[in-house]
Amino acid sequence: MKTVPPPHSHPSKPAYVLPAGSCDAHVHVYGPVARFPYAADRAYDPPEAPIERLQALHRLLGVERAVIVQATVHGTDNGAMLDAISRAPARYRGVALVAPDVSDQELRRLHAGGVRGLRYNFMPHLGKSADPEEVRAMAARIAPLGWHIQVHVTAAHLPAIRGFLESLPVPFVIDHMGRPMVEDGLDQPALACLLDVLGHERAWVKISGPERISALLSRQARPYADAVPFVQRILQAAPGRVVWGTDWPHPNVREVPDDGKLVDLLPSYTDDAAVLESILVANPSRLYWYD
């Protein structure tokens, strides 16, 4: 089983001061394993990354709210995520993983615990891709709750599931910009497809993971600065349906980033302070704190 490294041991304090109410809309928690064991069929083996360590990071960064996305290492046992949300229910929300036969009672319990969406994997290296018909059936069940569907998919694979996504009766959120690799250029078909999909009124995207798409990684004057033009294109396409996240503790990345440096990329994405505030405050409020 693949072992992944821990998060950055000494993240820097960012120079950019986040606006009040800023939300880190994509983080995970792992363990503690003694209370929340990892799933036996997990695709990778991470070191523990409990809520206390995430809270310490957010104090350093100036983050006030967060969306805790259920990690595949915990499977459909959402206990660690729900426990993390319970530490500050007004400031935390969650995105869960569930089995196709999950009961309506369990969905209501997850909603009461702060869950506002379900995540589905279309990345073969993390296991079998989701069944679109199962996702469609689940979307109909969660629509009355106001939830959304979050998809982990590359932009290159997006054309294959685009019609299915656009047919869903709920918003859909694309993880990590759909990973259009910088080395393939701004004119690549994958990015063009992503931008086209963002024209759909229910399509959202997370501008997380610049370290996942960068060609030069941290070997730049500003780490991952080569990803900036890609984010700028995304913001031009749908500024009102973009949220930002660190992706802490950074599972399955080519190098573990300094989260302070990720925050310091934010003002390079746009010089419009109102757009930045929307990405960090207003947009996540609409998607996760609508009720």
Side-chain angles (χ1 to χ4, degrees):
M1 184 180 299
K2 178 182 178 181
T3 300
V4 299
H8 200 287
S9 58
H10 295 91
S12 59
K13 184 174 180 61
Y16 174 65
V17 178
L18 291 167
S22 286
C23 176
D24 182 346
H26 195 103
V27 296
H28 309 284
V29 291
Y30 304 147
V33 175
R35 290 186 62 201
F36 306 108
Y38 293 157
D41 61 349
R42 63 191 181 278
Y44 59 95
D45 206 24
E48 291 186 353
I51 181 60
E52 292 83 2
R53 187 166 179 184
L54 175 63
Q55 289 176 319
L57 172 69
H58 280 165
R59 286 193 294 271
L60 175 72
L61 301 182
V63 169
E64 295 183 11
R65 299 183 296 168
V67 178
I68 302 167
V69 178
Q70 172 72 353
T72 58
V73 297
H74 283 295
T76 57
D77 181 351
N78 293 281
M81 181 261 290
L82 291 171
D83 176 72
I85 295 172
S86 73
R87 308 299 180 94
R91 294 193 294 113
Y92 294 151
R93 290 290 182 265
V95 175
L97 296 178
V98 298
D101 61 352
V102 63
S103 68
D104 290 339
Q105 180 181 6
E106 175 65 4
L107 292 176
R108 290 192 295 269
R109 185 183 79 89
L110 291 171
H111 186 85
V115 170
R116 295 298 181 267
L118 297 178
R119 191 188 198 201
Y120 288 93
N121 171 53
F122 291 90
M123 304 285 286
H125 75 279
L126 291 177
K128 182 181 178 182
S129 290
D131 179 341
E133 292 310 311
E134 288 183 357
V135 179
R136 196 190 312 277
M138 192 63 69
R141 294 177 63 192
I142 66 173
L145 296 171
W147 290 12
H148 62 271
I149 295 292
Q150 180 174 323
V151 291
H152 194 195
V153 62
T154 64
H157 185 60
L158 199 51
I161 64 170
R162 176 179 181 174
F164 146 68
L165 291 175
E166 293 180 346
S167 73
L168 295 175
V170 297
F172 59 93
V173 183
I174 298 168
D175 276 358
H176 308 320
M177 300 181 271
R179 302 194 192 191
M181 301 305 290
V182 167
E183 63 192 17
D184 294 329
L186 283 169
D187 296 326
Q188 62 181 282
L191 179 61
C193 181
L194 173 66
L195 298 178
D196 198 37
V197 168
L198 288 175
H200 192 280
E201 63 182 1
R202 290 193 298 276
W204 290 67
V205 66
K206 293 188 177 186
I207 52 169
S208 52
E211 74 281 2
R212 293 182 180 275
I213 71 171
S214 172
L216 300 174
L217 297 174
S218 60
R219 300 184 299 278
Q220 306 171 71
R222 288 181 303 144
Y224 322 120
D226 59 343
V228 167
F230 290 75
V231 178
Q232 291 173 336
R233 292 278 181 95
I234 290 169
L235 291 181
Q236 290 167 6
R241 286 177 275 111
V242 174
V243 293
W244 168 84
T246 59
D247 192 27
W248 187 92
H250 310 287
N252 296 306
V253 291
R254 292 172 293 166
E255 67 174 27
V256 176
D258 175 343
D259 295 278
K261 301 299 184 185
L262 298 181
V263 172
D264 278 337
L265 274 180
L266 282 164
S268 65
Y269 295 153
T270 175
D271 56 8
D272 188 330
V275 170
L276 262 186
E277 186 156 355
S278 291
I279 295 164
L280 295 165
V281 183
N283 293 353
S285 291
R286 287 194 293 120
L287 189 59
Y288 303 104
W289 279 270
Y290 53 86
D291 57 349

